[in-house]
């Protein structure tokens, strides 16, 4: 693995290493135009003067990074990421590694964070979450030669190793279960559009509903928050042909949907069955407890951490398929009162 050096900056700028040093440290000896060109090149390849000492010593950071493009307030209430991080931390601690976590506003800011972390030797590798189709982060990380593991897939990860779970199979199992109960009007409140796992679930939902002949099956996009989950639920339940079952892409939205349905006077599960994705303690604390798709998320995080630590040592890693989420029926699902 090759990190950017002062020699790389000098070669790209067509100047000596001394001139690069003058420019980066604000010393006289180069023109202002040359200084600006050197600074731009250093920023582009992720080199920082603060990285020089560590570069000379060859020391590692003993830390890995996770940048998340989600509002911090959402991360605090979403059990998935808390459980994922707990699994990652457990594995890292055993190897005396630290986790550097940063919340970013958008993908451009996330890419800038990776360039800075790598250039300043703050991390030895990173986790990539919320994979998108044709994700702009993948070629950047390949160019930087920054060790990384993508948490998501399958596919769309370039040459980077990944860990993923079969969301399509889990979604098909859920719809088939609801149909076996007698439901014919099934809807879904999805996650953020554009995310690969959201698109996989949306496509699988449409295909299985078409195969089973379910009329009017639709997906309403949302953003994983309780507020948007509640809004999507009101829209679905206010329609002329309201669904008798709704699948939610996370537990927070499912709990919000349960509250809205009860406010509207619907009995759960007689009038409306509810299924949550990513089982959590929250799903069992509400009444009735929610039927949910669950998997061992801390173990998922631990697998990702082991993959990344192996990649950091130079080991060639490939994609790893983790367990598929399994359905746990609880009190929120039953045959519909009106079929």
């Amino acid at each position: 693995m090759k990190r950017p050096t002062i020699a790389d900056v000098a070669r790209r700028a067509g100047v000596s290493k001394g001139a690069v040093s003058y420019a980066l440290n604000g010393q006289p000896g180069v023109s202002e135009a040359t200084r600006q060109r050197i600074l731009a090149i250093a920023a582009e390849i992720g080199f920082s003067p603060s990285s020089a000492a560590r570069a000379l010593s060859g020391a590692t950071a003993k830390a890995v990074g996770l940048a998340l493009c989600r509002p911090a307030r959402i991360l605090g209430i979403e059990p998935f990421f808390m459980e994922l991080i707990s699994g990652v931390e457990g594995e890292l601690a055993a190897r005396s590694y630290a986790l550097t976590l940063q919340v970013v506003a958008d993908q451009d800011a996330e890419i800038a964070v990776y360039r800075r972390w790598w250039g300043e030797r703050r991390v030895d590798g990173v986790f990539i979450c919320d994979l998108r189709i044709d994700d702009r982060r993948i070629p950047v990380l390949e160019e930087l030669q920054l060790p990384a593991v993508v948490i998501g897939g399958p596919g769309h990860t370039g040459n980077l190793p990944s860990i993923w779970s079969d969301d399509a199979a889990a979604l098909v199992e859920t719809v088939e279960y609801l149909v076996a109960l007698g439901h014919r009007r099934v809807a879904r409140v999805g996650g953020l559009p554009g995310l690969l796992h959201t698109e996989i679930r949306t496509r699988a939902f449409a295909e299985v509903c078409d195969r089973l002949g379910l009329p009017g099956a639709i997906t309403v996009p949302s953003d994983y928050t309780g507020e948007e989950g509640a809004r999507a639920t009101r829209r679905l339940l206010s329609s002329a042909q309201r669904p008798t079952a709704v699948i939610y892409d996370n537990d927070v939205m499912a709990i919000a949907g349960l509250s809205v349905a009860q406010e509207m006077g619907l009995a759960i599960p007689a009038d409306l069955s509810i299924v949550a994705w990513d089982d959590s303690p929250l799903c069992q604390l509400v009444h009735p407890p929610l039927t949910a798709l669950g998997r061992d998320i801390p173990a998922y995080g631990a697998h990702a951490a082991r993959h990344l630590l192996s990649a950091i040592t130079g080991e060639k890693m490939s994609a790893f398929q983790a367990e598929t989420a399994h359905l746990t029926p609880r009190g929120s699902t039953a045959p519909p009162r009106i079929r």
Side-chain angles (χ1 to χ4, degrees):
M1 66 189 74
K2 183 178 182 296
R3 305 192 191 212
T5 65
I6 194 170
D8 295 327
V9 179
R11 183 170 57 256
R12 290 200 181 199
V15 298
S16 68
K17 289 189 288 185
V20 173
S21 180
Y22 293 148
L24 295 177
N25 292 294
Q27 297 176 342
V30 294
S31 69
E32 185 58 30
T34 300
R35 185 189 312 279
Q36 293 303 319
R37 187 171 81 256
I38 291 172
L39 291 173
I41 291 171
E44 177 185 347
I45 68 173
F47 180 79
S48 163
S50 65
S51 66
R54 185 172 287 161
L56 289 172
S57 68
T60 58
K62 297 295 286 185
V64 298
L66 173 60
L68 293 174
C69 189
R70 297 280 185 93
R73 64 182 180 84
I74 295 177
L75 295 179
I77 62 172
E78 192 169 43
F80 172 81
F81 275 112
M82 295 302 100
E83 293 186 38
L84 181 75
I85 290 171
S86 74
V88 167
E89 284 279 22
E91 195 68 28
L92 294 180
R95 311 280 190 92
S96 299
Y97 262 79
L99 176 66
T100 298
L101 175 65
Q102 184 162 341
V103 175
V104 295
D106 53 39
Q107 211 167 70
D108 288 333
E110 187 173 341
I111 289 172
V113 165
Y114 296 141
R115 292 188 183 278
R116 185 175 72 253
W117 278 349
W118 190 231
E120 296 178 358
R121 275 60 178 179
R122 295 191 180 187
V123 300
D124 299 320
V126 295
F127 298 105
I128 305 301
C129 289
D130 289 339
L131 183 66
R132 295 178 178 272
I133 298 173
D134 298 325
D135 200 303
R136 293 191 295 113
R137 297 170 297 177
I138 302 302
V140 171
L141 293 171
E142 291 177 330
E143 176 194 356
L144 292 173
Q145 298 183 51
L146 169 55
V149 166
V150 179
I151 300 176
H156 303 274
T157 64
N159 295 318
L160 301 181
S162 65
I163 175 169
W164 62 282
S165 180
D166 192 343
D167 282 2
L171 199 290
V172 169
E173 178 192 359
T174 302
V175 174
E176 289 178 342
Y177 163 73
L178 292 171
V179 170
L181 289 177
H183 293 277
R184 302 294 297 168
R185 299 197 299 273
V186 181
R188 171 173 163 263
V189 176
L192 289 165
L195 299 184
L196 178 62
H197 71 264
T198 300
E199 299 303 322
I200 288 173
R201 294 178 187 183
T202 300
R203 184 168 59 250
F205 179 72
E207 289 175 353
V208 69
C209 289
D210 182 66
R211 173 169 62 83
L212 297 175
L214 302 184
I218 63 169
T219 290
V220 179
S222 190
D223 66 355
Y224 298 114
T225 66
E227 294 85 354
E228 286 300 314
R231 188 173 293 114
T233 303
R234 288 190 188 93
R235 171 183 165 188
L236 287 169
L237 299 184
S238 299
S239 63
Q241 291 294 315
R242 65 171 177 81
T244 61
V246 180
I247 303 167
Y248 293 84
D249 264 21
N250 77 347
D251 49 356
V252 174
M253 293 193 299
I255 292 169
L258 171 66
S259 178
V260 166
Q262 291 172 334
E263 288 172 3
M264 295 177 70
L266 298 181
I268 309 299
D271 295 323
L272 180 70
S273 285
I274 292 176
V275 179
W277 203 297
D278 285 328
D279 197 2
S280 73
L282 293 178
C283 293
Q284 301 177 52
L285 292 175
V286 295
H287 181 76
L290 298 182
T291 294
L293 283 157
R295 53 185 167 162
D296 190 339
I297 298 172
Y300 193 56
H303 277 304
R306 286 194 290 271
H307 262 54
L308 182 55
L309 292 172
S310 295
I312 288 170
T313 63
E315 186 177 342
K316 182 67 174 177
M317 305 302 296
S318 57
F320 174 82
Q321 183 176 354
E323 67 168 331
T324 301
H326 58 273
L327 191 68
T328 300
R330 297 195 183 99
S332 69
T333 50
R337 179 177 291 168
I338 300 177
R339 303 194 181 197

